[in-house]
Amino acid sequence: MTELVKKYSNNQRFAYNVVVNLFTRKEEKDDYINKNVRVGSNEKLSEEELIQRATNVVYGLIESKDEFELYDLVKIVGITFAGAYDRDLK
């Protein structure tokens, strides 16, 4: 994570922790990988918005990370909401 991303994600009011389950296939061998994703926002997100943002983050990882180039197939098969934080909640 770049320093710029850290800077902006730390200043946002809401933080959501999401676990995204990926199905992978490499040389006819199937496997599952869990990726923990943190989504930040200054506004409360609906369930649909949170799913879309987490999905976008994981697709970005899949397209940019060298670790996924080794697989013949990578797809999202599950999303679990693991937690939420409101910076202003006391």
Side-chain angles (χ1 to χ4, degrees):
M1 185 181 304
T2 66
E3 290 303 314
L4 187 61
V5 172
K6 285 182 186 179
K7 175 184 170 187
Y8 287 108
S9 65
N10 288 337
N11 289 329
Q12 294 176 328
R13 178 177 173 187
F14 297 98
Y16 301 91
N17 296 315
V18 182
V19 178
V20 180
N21 186 252
L22 303 173
F23 170 80
T24 62
R25 178 172 289 147
K26 179 180 174 184
E27 299 173 359
E28 301 301 318
K29 182 180 177 200
D30 297 345
D31 197 9
Y32 291 90
I33 300 171
N34 288 326
K35 289 291 184 186
N36 295 316
V37 177
R38 183 176 181 267
V39 177
S41 176
N42 284 321
E43 297 147 10
K44 190 173 182 180
L45 298 177
S46 70
E47 193 172 309
E48 292 80 20
E49 290 172 315
L50 185 54
I51 290 170
Q52 186 61 53
R53 289 193 189 189
T55 301
N56 290 344
V57 168
V58 172
Y59 278 133
L61 287 173
I62 291 169
E63 292 177 3
S64 66
K65 292 277 188 175
D66 292 339
E67 69 179 288
F68 292 108
E69 289 180 3
L70 305 173
Y71 294 103
D72 301 323
L73 174 69
V74 179
K75 66 180 180 177
I76 295 174
V77 293
I79 295 178
T80 303
F81 303 120
Y85 173 78
D86 180 351
R87 181 179 68 192
D88 294 344
L89 189 64
K90 300 192 189 245

